[in-house]
Structures are given as structure tokens and as C-alpha cells.
């Protein structure tokens, strides 16, 4: 999609959200506040400027008794459908309790996994914490991270590429180009850093077959 057309996504979403939530402006963008009895949700849209080429959305949920976010996700507003799906998951988590992953640890057949996002920054943090979780559960899988701008190298060096929700919309295109080597991290699991749920997703993943690792 043309970049100039994509830049309309931020204003369109801001107008849509203003119909449902309290809106206030801040320097560089627009903020929306969503409240429940126990949680506070914040939706921020940062306008593109000389430093960022695309509007950015940030989704945050706090427990009112705690300053640490329960849920955090940010992404470029390049794809409207992806943005709306992320907002819906944000709302679902705000009003409901997140589901808990089963206690048992799945068996994984992949040896090398990469987490991929748009910039590589959030995927690096997520990959590091996922690696710790694997080590704590004595699962011998190596996790790396990177940006989709370096995807060729990630594909060459890993059995499985996990796409962060920020770039989930790229999955059909990537599967067409590279084949059956990709999985998606659920929006809620990524935003709440639910590494146990990701492990169970990998246990069921279409890529966790023995043919991958010989």
C-alpha cells in the first residue's frame, strides 16, 4: 500500500475511537482513556514526524492498584485490519481475565527459533525472556530476534520464525515467498509476555515436525 495512503490510518482510527472513548491531545499525538472498575486502558496514537515515518499506536493496560503495565503493545499503523484486531484484543483483555496456559510443558522438535517484529527492538526483549523461560524448563531450543528487514538471514539460520503481532498481516506474503516456516505470536500473549502460552503454541505448531531438524 502507498505510504501516503497508510498515513491516513492514524487520523481515521483517532476519529473512530473518539466516538467511544474520552479523548485528549498531547504533544505529538492523541490519547484515549478506557476505564473499568479495576483496570485502566490507554490507547495512544503518535503522529508521524521528522523522526518517525509512520503513525504509531500504543496499547497499555494497568491494574488500578499497580503501576506496572499488565499489557503493552506498540506498532506502526501500516495495516488497518491489523490495527483493529489489536485494538479488539486490547478491549477483550481489559474487560476479561486472560486465559491461563496448561501446566504441562510441550515437547518441541525445532532447534532454532527467531522472533521477528518491525524494528527488532520489542522482538529482542521478547526473545530474551522466552529463552530464559525455555532454559528454566530445560528445553534445548535457541531463540534469536530480528527485524523483518533482515528476514533473509533469519530464514536461513532458523527452523521457525515467529512473527510478532505488529507484523502479523505479512504472514500470507511471507509464506508465499518462503514456504511453511512461520508462526504467529498471539497479540495477547505478546502484549502480556505470556511465554508459557507461546511454548504451548509451539508444541502445537505446524512447524514442530521431526522433518525440520532431520
Amino acid at each position: 500500500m502507498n505510504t501516503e495512503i497508510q498515513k491516513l490510518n492514524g487520523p481515521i482510527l483517532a476519529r473512530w475511537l473518539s466516538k467511544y472513548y474520552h479523548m485528549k491531545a498531547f504533544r505529538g499525538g492523541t490519547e484515549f482513556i478506557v476505564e473499568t472498575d479495576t483496570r485502566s486502558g490507554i490507547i495512544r496514537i503518535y503522529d508521524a514526524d521528522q523522526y518517525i515515518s509512520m503513525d504509531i499506536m500504543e496499547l497499555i493496560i494497568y491494574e488500578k492498584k499497580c503501576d506496572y503495565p499488565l499489557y503493552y503493545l506498540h506498532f506502526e499503523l501500516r495495516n488497518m485490519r491489523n490495527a483493529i484486531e489489536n485494538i479488539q484484543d486490547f478491549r477483550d483483555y481489559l474487560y476479561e481475565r486472560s486465559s491461563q496456559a496448561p501446566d504441562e510443558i510441550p515437547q518441541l522438535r525445532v532447534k532454532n527459533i527467531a522472533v521477528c517484529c518491525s524494528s527488532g527492538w520489542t522482538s529482542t526483549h521478547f526473545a530474551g525472556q522466552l529463552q530464559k523461560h525455555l532454559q528454566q524448563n530445560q528445553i534445548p531450543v535457541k531463540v534469536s530476534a530480528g527485524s523483518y528487514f533482515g528476514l533473509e538471514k533469519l530464514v536461513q539460520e532458523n527452523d521457525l520464525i515467529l512473527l510478532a503481532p505488529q507484523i502479523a498481516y505479512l504472514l500470507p506474503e511471507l509464506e508465499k515467498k518462503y514456504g511453511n516456516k512461520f508462526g504467529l505470536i498471539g497479540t495477547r500473549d505478546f502484549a502480556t509476555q505470556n511465554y508459557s502460552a507461546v511454548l504451548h503454541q509451539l508444541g502445537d505448531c505446524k512447524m514442530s515436525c521431526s522433518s525440520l531438524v532431520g
Side-chain angles (χ1 to χ4, degrees), residues 108-135:
L108 305 184
R109 297 183 182 274
V110 291
K111 292 181 178 179
N112 298 285
I113 296 170
V115 180
C116 182
C117 70
S118 54
S119 66
W121 182 78
T122 53
S123 61
T124 297
H125 171 76
F126 194 92
Q129 295 302 311
L130 179 59
Q131 184 73 80
K132 289 182 181 179
H133 196 82
L134 287 162
Q135 290 172 346

Side-chain angles (χ1 to χ4, degrees), residues 1-8 53-54 78:
M1 182 183 291
N2 184 280
T3 301
E4 293 304 314
I5 295 176
Q6 289 176 325
K7 288 181 179 179
L8 297 174
S53 60
M54 188 67 55
R78 292 184 178 273

Side-chain angles (χ1 to χ4, degrees), residues 27-214:
R27 185 175 181 180
T30 308
E31 181 176 271
F32 303 86
I33 307 297
V34 194
E35 298 280 354
T36 71
D37 291 340
T38 59
R39 294 178 176 178
S40 295
I42 301 171
I43 303 173
R44 293 190 182 118
I45 298 176
Y46 295 88
D47 300 333
D49 56 23
Q50 66 268 34
Y51 302 108
I52 55 174
S53 60
M54 188 67 55
D55 291 354
I56 292 175
M57 177 168 283
E58 190 174 49
L59 305 174
I60 314 171
I61 297 174
Y62 293 93
E63 199 78 55
K64 289 185 175 179
K65 296 180 180 180
C66 178
D67 292 333
Y68 187 80
L70 299 172
Y71 184 111
Y72 180 83
L73 184 70
H74 76 274
F75 52 95
E76 295 178 335
L77 291 174
R78 292 184 178 273
N79 184 279
M80 182 69 80
R81 179 177 179 179
N82 180 244
I84 292 173
E85 288 174 350
N86 289 338
I87 293 170
Q88 185 59 56
D89 186 82
F90 163 88
R91 283 175 43 84
D92 290 344
Y93 187 80
L94 182 69
Y95 292 111
E96 302 171 4
R97 286 187 173 276
S98 59
S99 58
Q100 298 295 319
D103 292 333
E104 66 275 6
I105 301 299
Q107 295 294 316
L108 305 184
R109 297 183 182 274
V110 291
K111 292 181 178 179
N112 298 285
I113 296 170
V115 180
C116 182
C117 70
S118 54
S119 66
W121 182 78
T122 53
S123 61
T124 297
H125 171 76
F126 194 92
Q129 295 302 311
L130 179 59
Q131 184 73 80
K132 289 182 181 179
H133 196 82
L134 287 162
Q135 290 172 346
Q136 289 170 357
N137 288 282
Q138 300 181 336
I139 300 175
V141 175
K142 181 180 178 182
V143 185
S144 59
S147 162
Y148 67 77
F149 293 111
L151 197 58
E152 291 283 352
K153 184 177 180 181
L154 294 180
V155 170
Q156 292 173 7
E157 296 179 351
N158 294 276
D159 304 314
L160 175 64
I161 313 296
L162 293 177
L163 302 181
Q166 296 96 319
I167 57 171
Y169 63 92
L170 293 173
L171 180 62
E173 174 187 335
L174 295 176
E175 287 187 326
K176 184 177 181 180
K177 182 175 182 179
Y178 296 105
N180 191 20
K181 200 170 185 177
F182 294 86
L184 295 176
I185 301 175
T187 301
R188 183 175 303 190
D189 296 334
F190 193 86
T192 61
Q193 301 181 50
N194 190 342
Y195 306 110
S196 293
V198 174
L199 288 188
H200 284 276
Q201 176 192 342
L202 291 176
D204 296 333
C205 184
K206 57 189 177 183
M207 291 297 296
S208 61
C209 57
S210 58
S211 61
L212 272 176
V213 295

